[in-house]
Amino acid sequence: MAYFQPVALEHASRLVNHGPTVLVTSASDGRRNVMAAAWSMPVEFTPPRIAVVIDKKTFTRELMMESGTFGICVPGSALMDITYAVGSESGRDVDKYAKYGITPTTGPVLGLPLIETGCAAWLECKLISEPHTEEAYDTCFGEVVAAAADSRVFDRGHWKFDDSNASLHTIHHLGAGNFVRVSGMVAAKRL
């Protein structure tokens, strides 16, 4: 087709990775952090397991490895600017929760700092040790031990995106600080 043009391989993953940007939370020995991650996905249903790419040089990864735990929070469009901000700086020298006015709640199972205000959902995870994939690909796996979602946007196991809950619509990072948010949900007809 004449409309198709080559895409630089450095941008190829963006063609298929338009899932929600997430906030990864971590804590260890009185230190805490939150960062944005664009690459996360489910990898198992029972028990529920997820994968998330976290660079080995990040403060979040350091805290994850120390504690063996991490949280995943799914920000709504109301948190787009904060999501970009916490994903653009390290937490080694600054408490991003304090700097950006983020008030975490305490996770019910692992005691992780989780974010509810402005988020559609959160998951508490135990790190599944996979040294090779962690080192080679910066991919970390976690078993979900607790999860919750805002019923205005996720109810009885299904997403519901409409005009009444636009501030909770998930956001999707396209690179360089550009995001899109979910909207215009339509249901397929059975054929």
Side-chain angles (χ1 to χ4, degrees):
M1 297 203 85
Y3 294 113
F4 275 67
Q5 298 296 318
V7 172
L9 292 181
E10 65 195 46
H11 300 298
S13 64
R14 293 180 184 168
L15 299 175
V16 294
N17 181 51
H18 54 280
T21 297
V22 298
L23 297 172
V24 182
T25 63
S26 55
S28 179
D29 293 327
R31 300 172 301 151
R32 64 184 183 176
N33 197 41
V34 57
M35 67 168 277
W39 295 358
S40 67
M41 66 179 190
V43 294
E44 187 72 43
F45 293 113
T46 307
R49 295 183 180 140
I50 61 168
V52 62
V53 175
I54 307 289
D55 189 287
K56 65 184 71 56
K57 294 176 265 185
T58 65
F59 186 50
T60 294
R61 177 84 170 265
E62 179 182 320
L63 296 177
M64 286 169 57
M65 293 299 150
E66 288 177 9
S67 68
T69 63
F70 62 96
I72 297 288
C73 302
V74 183
S77 62
L79 290 186
M80 187 179 319
D81 294 339
I82 285 176
T83 299
Y84 186 61
V86 301
S88 299
E89 69 179 304
S90 174
R92 283 190 202 283
D93 301 318
V94 64
D95 181 345
K96 292 188 253 182
Y97 291 93
K99 181 175 181 177
Y100 296 108
I102 301 167
T103 304
T105 187
T106 302
V109 176
L110 303 173
L112 287 163
L114 300 169
I115 303 166
E116 289 187 344
T117 302
C119 283
W122 57 253
L123 304 91
E124 265 193 308
C125 304
K126 285 185 184 177
L127 185 66
I128 299 169
S129 180
E130 291 288 342
H132 173 71
T133 44
E134 292 164 3
E135 183 62 28
Y137 308 110
D138 287 328
T139 302
C140 301
F141 295 91
E143 181 174 334
V144 179
V145 297
D150 188 315
S151 62
R152 293 173 294 176
V153 71
F154 190 87
D155 189 37
R156 288 174 256 164
H158 297 283
W159 289 104
K160 177 189 139 196
F161 298 109
D162 61 30
D163 292 341
S164 74
N165 57 22
S167 68
L168 294 171
H169 290 191
T170 59
I171 57 176
H172 309 262
H173 191 240
L174 302 177
N178 295 303
F179 292 82
V180 294
R181 73 175 167 89
V182 169
S183 63
M185 188 168 135
V186 295
K189 296 177 184 167
R190 291 192 181 263
L191 299 179

